[in-house]
Amino acid sequence: MADRPAVAAFLDANFRAVGTWTSAALFTSPLNRAMLKRLLEYCPCLFTQIEVSPTARAVVHLCELTLGTRVDSSNVHDAFLIQHPRPGTPAMAYPPREAVRNIGGTIMEFLCSEVLASAGVPLMALDGDNWPRWQMPGHIIMNEGRMQALKAFGGILIPCAPTNLVISVKSEAARERLLYSSNSIEGVGFGFFNQPEEFWTSSRMALFKRMGFSAIYMPDATHSAVMARVVDDGRERHAVNLNGADLYRPLAQFGGDMRRVVGRSTLEL
């Protein structure tokens, strides 16, 4: 583009390298709003120096900088905790200058999306009409483009047969929001659940399956606590899905499972 030298000069004048960022006052941007939006999409680190509330994609990238690696099934819970620090967990190494505003659910969906991309199931791009450009393997975020009209069905869609998989992404508490989010279609739960008592009763396991869940993924500690109680109570036969496989699974298994079934049969899940 013709103004590329001006953009390069603007970046050189106003931004610093990773690790040497300054707290300079907000500069007067010479870029128009659309160009600035594109720039921040390509360079999410700039949210650490500009007084603009970060996007969900930018927050995920800043979590990756803190982890020192890409988000995947093995560390996605760590990435979640970076945004919600507590004793024993690291804070964000390079926090955005502005507060994150009302996008917690979207951030979790992008964390899930990044896990899928790391496992070889990339996010489908939008075409000129804002519909997903279908590819295989691939996944769709239901909160983008024209798919937003179907957001009520779930957060992420993975093409499969005989029915597509719809992933419901939740935070630390499942409650009834997870239970009813599957809409009686083929559903997968993905969350950072920390209340194992929400999962271990036989009635709750029956309800999850009746509502269409094939698998629910949770942090390792929560999964261990749930399954220990299930075994102690002799309820192992309830903790299987309609395919005879585990209903509850650790987050570390999520990416590999989705890569195995994408574009194929959900009967393998």
Side-chain angles (χ1 to χ4, degrees):
M1 56 187 174
D3 53 358
R4 184 172 296 173
V7 173
F10 165 78
L11 292 172
D12 288 341
N14 290 284
F15 297 102
R16 302 293 181 268
V18 176
T20 59
W21 294 329
T22 64
S23 57
L26 177 64
F27 48 83
T28 302
S29 173
L31 305 177
N32 62 47
R33 188 174 299 274
M35 185 183 295
L36 181 59
K37 180 180 178 180
R38 291 198 302 272
L39 179 63
L40 292 172
E41 287 176 355
Y42 286 115
C43 306
C45 292
L46 301 184
F47 279 105
T48 63
Q49 298 183 59
I50 185 171
E51 292 176 347
V52 174
S53 184
T55 63
R57 280 189 171 93
V59 172
V60 171
H61 179 69
L62 296 176
C63 289
E64 291 179 321
L65 285 181
T66 304
L67 291 170
T69 188
R70 186 176 185 179
V71 168
D72 61 20
S73 291
S74 69
N75 61 22
V76 65
H77 189 218
D78 295 330
F80 173 81
L81 293 176
I82 286 169
Q83 302 163 59
H84 308 277
R86 58 206 69 186
T89 63
M92 195 172 286
Y94 306 106
R97 293 213 31 205
E98 282 289 301
V100 179
R101 296 193 180 98
N102 302 320
I103 56 171
T106 306
I107 293 170
M108 289 186 293
E109 288 175 358
F110 276 105
L111 284 173
C112 182
S113 174
E114 189 65 19
V115 171
L116 290 169
S118 296
V121 187
L123 177 64
M124 297 184 199
L126 299 180
D127 63 20
D129 294 322
N130 270 339
W131 287 109
R133 187 177 294 113
W134 286 78
Q135 67 179 57
M136 191 59 58
H139 73 275
I140 296 167
I141 290 182
M142 304 284 278
N143 200 26
E144 290 194 324
R146 296 200 179 188
M147 296 299 286
Q148 286 181 318
L150 303 175
K151 170 66 178 172
F153 286 99
I156 292 175
L157 183 146
I158 294 181
C160 290
T163 58
N164 294 323
L165 281 178
V166 178
I167 301 171
S168 177
V169 182
K170 295 291 181 272
S171 59
E172 294 178 307
R175 301 190 178 95
E176 269 60 46
R177 294 174 300 170
L178 174 64
L179 179 61
Y180 294 111
S181 63
S182 185
N183 293 288
S184 297
I185 56 179
E186 189 95 24
V188 168
F190 175 100
F192 305 99
F193 311 117
N194 62 3
Q195 299 174 31
E197 64 275 11
E198 294 188 302
F199 297 93
W200 60 44
T201 65
S202 56
S203 61
R204 182 49 58 102
M205 288 184 272
L207 282 171
F208 278 133
K209 287 181 281 188
R210 184 171 291 274
M211 295 304 295
F213 280 98
S214 294
I216 298 173
Y217 296 84
M218 58 190 69
D220 288 355
T222 305
H223 179 260
S224 295
V226 170
M227 294 312 300
R229 179 62 177 268
V230 167
V231 171
D232 285 347
D233 291 347
R235 297 178 180 145
E236 299 98 312
R237 67 185 180 87
H238 297 283
V240 295
N241 65 17
L242 295 180
N243 303 323
D246 293 339
L247 176 64
Y248 298 142
R249 310 180 191 188
L251 282 172
Q253 195 174 328
F254 174 76
D257 283 355
M258 297 303 106
R259 182 65 182 87
R260 178 166 49 83
V261 301
V262 61
R264 299 175 182 171
S265 172
T266 57
L267 300 179
E268 300 298 320
L269 189 60

